[in-house]
Amino acid sequence: MLAPEPGLMIWTLITFGVAVLVLTVFAFKPLQKALDARRQNIQDGMDAAEAARAEALRLLEEYKATLAKVRGESEEILERSRATADHAKAEIIAEAKSQSERILEEAHEQIERDTRAALRALKGQIAELTALATTKVATSSLTESDQRRLIEEALAELDVEKLGVEGDG
Amino acid sequence: MDAESAKLLAAGISMGVGSIGPALGLGMLISKALESIARQPEVAGEIRTNMFIGIGVTEAVALYAFVIALILIFVA
Amino acid sequence: MKRKRLIWGVVAVVALGALVGYDLLKTPGQSEQVEIVEEFELQPLIKLPAIGPFDLSVNKAVVYLWITAAVLIVFALLVRRSLRQEPPSRFRVLMELLYALAHDGIVGAVMKSGRATWFPYIAGAFFFVLTANLIGLIPLPFAHHHQLGFYTATANLYVTLALALCTFVFTHFAGLRQNRGRYFINWAPSSAPPVLKQLIWVIHSVSEVFRLVSLAVRLFANMLAGHAILAVFFAMALIFQSVLAALVLQGASVLIYMFEIFVAFIQAFIFAILSAVYIGGALDQEH
């Protein structure tokens, strides 16, 4: 059973060599190629998915940025319009105030003018009435010149300003 | 005892005694390998490969005894 | 479903054993005397002239080698054909699994450099030994008087020695090609003191030879022992001449047979992985 058989060794080497050769050419190399192709396929798919993901992320970032910008802009517009409105409001109020002040002033002036005019008229009338009354009272006893002097005195005593103030009040 | 029976006896003894060492060795080897796998299951594949290499080397010792027994019976 | 398959497997193996036993039994003059050793002896089937010391006669082992090579070639062609099929067939997926085992489990796990160069040899050795071992578990009519019998080419020392010689030669060829003149010097660590260095070198040289022998003997002895045990179990029923013993031994032989399938696989794996370790060690030497 253990007797040397060198011929069998030769046969072994021949069959083994042929088998390895055939396996390498027909099985190992095509299989490796197929496996590599499949790996490449999967890698490509993964790369594509990764690229798509990156693209989607980029788009999302872009949309976010755009949205933020738009929001900022609208805020700005709102702010600006609010400022404009405030400004206009203040202007209108100021104008109204000044106008009312002007009207008030005019009214004051008008009143003063009227008062003055009324006083002037009153003064004249008082003088006349006084002259009339004095004439009636003292026609007989008084000379023309006396009359004039008396009237002047009476007029001087008459505090026109005071009267005016009282009349005003 | 004639030569023929002495040969057969020697063959039996060589196989029996020659198996003791490799048997113990294989037991230790595999128990340690299993312990390692239980402790670190993440490298189980590597441990298993090395375990088989170890089994191959250890087992060869018993097979030398087997061949000696064969030589004693058929050649000597 | 699975249990059904298992039962059918057991029935098939028992029937097979019975067939072999019957075959042995019906042969005239041999019914009671079963010579297991004869199963492993080689007689030339076809006489061919010897070239020098090489007797090229075709015997049982050569026929088994041919069958192994033929099966491998058929499978290689089937693989190539199946590659055109999309989606992959079950056969192709199984073949890819085996290929991945050789590619990643053996070469990829052990070797650092030269993977692509040495993969065909190591994977080829793996599949060759695996196929030879498995074919040995199929009864073929090459036993004495053309009976059915279990035999395998790898249960012959000179077949495994030839395979181991391939690994031995390729190891040193790879080492020399990679490391040039430094290859033999690197066998001993350069840091060792002079005398110790030479001693280590001698020990390493001896171990190189022992690697060759152990690689051959491991495969041969494993397959021979497995087949001898199977033959003993199948033949023992005839020796005992008892139906009860036959039933028990046939049942036990089923378990042995299953274990032998496992051994056939493991031995092919170990042969290939040790070849990868040796060649890888010669390529990436420690200095």
Side-chain angles (χ1 to χ4, degrees):
Chain A
M1 187 160 56
L2 296 171
E5 302 200 40
L8 188 55
M9 289 174 76
I10 298 294
W11 274 117
T12 307
L13 290 179
I14 292 169
T15 43
F16 179 55
V18 169
V20 168
L21 207 72
V22 170
L23 276 176
T24 307
V25 173
F26 290 120
F28 295 161
K29 281 187 177 160
L31 256 176
Q32 187 61 54
K33 212 180 280 174
L35 288 175
D36 283 348
R38 187 182 300 162
R39 187 170 300 149
Q40 193 58 47
N41 252 353
I42 291 170
Q43 190 60 51
D44 285 353
M46 272 163 70
D47 285 351
E50 184 57 37
R53 206 179 71 90
E55 175 71 14
L57 267 180
R58 199 183 59 75
L59 279 177
L60 188 68
E61 283 303 313
E62 216 177 279
Y63 287 149
K64 267 186 187 161
T66 313
L67 208 65
K69 213 172 79 184
V70 166
R71 191 168 288 158
E73 257 169 29
S74 72
E75 203 108 308
E76 197 186 320
I77 288 168
L78 212 66
E79 196 59 42
R80 209 185 303 145
S81 64
R82 190 173 293 146
T84 314
D86 280 354
H87 190 68
K89 187 173 144 196
E91 229 168 45
I92 289 167
I93 287 173
E95 203 179 325
K97 199 173 272 174
S98 72
Q99 211 162 352
S100 75
E101 262 165 23
R102 199 160 42 81
I103 290 168
L104 216 61
E105 208 155 301
E106 271 174 14
H108 274 297
E109 273 169 21
Q110 189 64 45
I111 288 166
E112 204 152 314
R113 247 196 327 270
D114 287 356
T115 313
R116 215 162 282 149
L119 276 176
R120 210 173 297 131
L122 198 60
K123 215 168 170 181
Q125 253 173 343
I126 289 171
E128 259 171 51
L129 283 172
T130 313
L132 205 64
T134 314
T135 314
K136 275 176 183 170
V137 171
T139 314
S140 48
S141 61
L142 281 176
T143 64
E144 192 76 14
S145 62
D146 284 344
Q147 264 180 30
R148 175 79 32 209
R149 195 182 36 83
L150 281 172
I151 288 163
E152 288 293 328
E153 277 175 10
L155 274 174
E157 272 168 31
L158 195 69
D159 197 346
V160 177
E161 295 307 312
K162 208 174 174 183
L163 205 129
V165 170
E166 273 167 11
D168 217 22
Chain B
M1 199 193 298
D2 62 310
E4 199 55 37
S5 37
K7 270 188 207 170
L8 291 176
L9 191 64
I13 291 172
S14 91
M15 194 65 241
V17 175
S19 301
I20 296 172
L24 290 175
L26 281 173
M28 276 187 223
L29 175 72
I30 295 170
S31 81
K32 287 286 172 192
L34 289 180
E35 256 173 44
S36 312
I37 290 175
R39 194 170 301 148
Q40 279 181 290
E42 63 273 10
V43 287
E46 213 168 301
I47 292 171
R48 203 173 298 128
T49 306
N50 286 321
M51 182 183 84
F52 279 127
I53 295 175
I55 287 175
V57 174
T58 313
E59 183 196 46
V61 179
L63 297 172
Y64 294 147
F66 178 70
V67 173
I68 296 294
L70 285 182
I71 290 171
L72 281 171
I73 297 173
F74 298 113
V75 182
Chain C
M1 189 65 195
K2 259 187 182 162
R3 177 164 294 183
K4 213 172 172 183
R5 267 191 215 167
L6 186 71
I7 290 168
W8 273 116
V10 170
V11 167
V13 174
V14 170
L16 229 123
L19 199 68
V20 174
Y22 173 74
D23 215 33
L24 284 170
L25 198 66
K26 76 176 178 188
T27 315
Q30 271 209 312
S31 54
E32 275 157 56
Q33 196 67 34
V34 183
E35 276 290 336
I36 292 162
V37 176
E38 274 183 18
E39 292 292 311
F40 298 99
E41 307 239 290
L42 300 172
Q43 257 89 43
L45 296 171
I46 306 166
K47 282 271 185 197
L48 284 178
I51 304 166
F54 302 113
D55 178 17
L56 292 178
S57 298
V58 175
N59 52 32
K60 194 160 68 171
V62 176
V63 173
Y64 268 85
L65 285 171
W66 284 353
I67 295 169
T68 304
V71 167
L72 281 175
I73 289 168
V74 167
F75 267 78
L77 294 174
L78 281 176
V79 164
R80 198 179 64 145
R81 208 189 60 174
S82 76
L83 283 178
R84 299 199 203 102
Q85 262 179 327
E86 283 297 336
S89 57
R90 280 171 140 190
F91 172 78
R92 182 179 157 189
V93 172
L94 182 67
M95 289 302 119
E96 278 177 7
L97 217 64
L98 277 172
Y99 180 83
L101 175 69
H103 193 264
D104 306 328
I106 297 175
V107 178
V110 174
M111 289 177 82
K112 285 195 194 76
S113 56
R115 285 182 188 174
T117 316
W118 295 105
F119 172 74
Y121 169 67
I122 291 162
F126 174 62
F127 288 119
F128 190 84
V129 173
L130 178 64
T131 312
N133 291 351
L134 288 177
I135 283 172
L137 293 171
I138 302 167
L140 293 172
F142 295 105
H144 281 285
H145 315 291
H146 294 283
Q147 295 165 331
L148 285 174
F150 292 106
Y151 184 73
T152 170
T154 44
N156 185 293
L157 181 57
Y158 295 94
V159 173
T160 59
L161 192 62
L163 293 173
L165 261 176
C166 286
T167 295
F168 183 79
V169 169
F170 283 144
T171 300
H172 299 302
F173 172 72
L176 275 173
R177 206 179 61 164
Q178 180 92 350
N179 302 303
R180 305 283 165 196
R182 302 280 312 155
Y183 175 62
F184 291 114
I185 298 165
N186 283 340
W187 277 5
S190 51
S191 55
V195 180
L196 191 65
K197 205 163 147 185
Q198 280 145 24
L199 194 67
I200 291 172
W201 198 90
V202 170
I203 291 170
H204 189 100
S205 312
V206 174
S207 85
E208 287 290 334
V209 177
F210 264 84
R211 278 178 173 184
L212 166 70
V213 173
S214 75
L215 201 57
V217 167
R218 179 182 305 113
L219 182 56
F220 150 69
N222 255 297
M223 297 323 288
L224 178 63
H227 281 76
I229 287 175
L230 263 183
V232 164
F233 269 77
F234 284 150
M236 233 176 332
L238 298 173
I239 295 167
F240 286 157
Q241 298 281 322
S242 143
V243 176
L244 186 67
L247 279 176
V248 171
L249 289 166
Q250 285 290 304
S253 71
V254 171
L255 297 178
I256 303 270
Y257 190 92
M258 286 174 176
F259 182 67
E260 282 309 309
I261 294 173
F262 174 71
V263 168
F265 192 82
I266 287 298
Q267 287 308 316
F269 186 78
I270 287 176
F271 187 91
I273 209 161
L274 283 176
S275 296
V277 167
Y278 296 159
I279 293 175
L283 288 173
D284 304 300
Q285 284 185 314
E286 288 157 19
H287 302 294

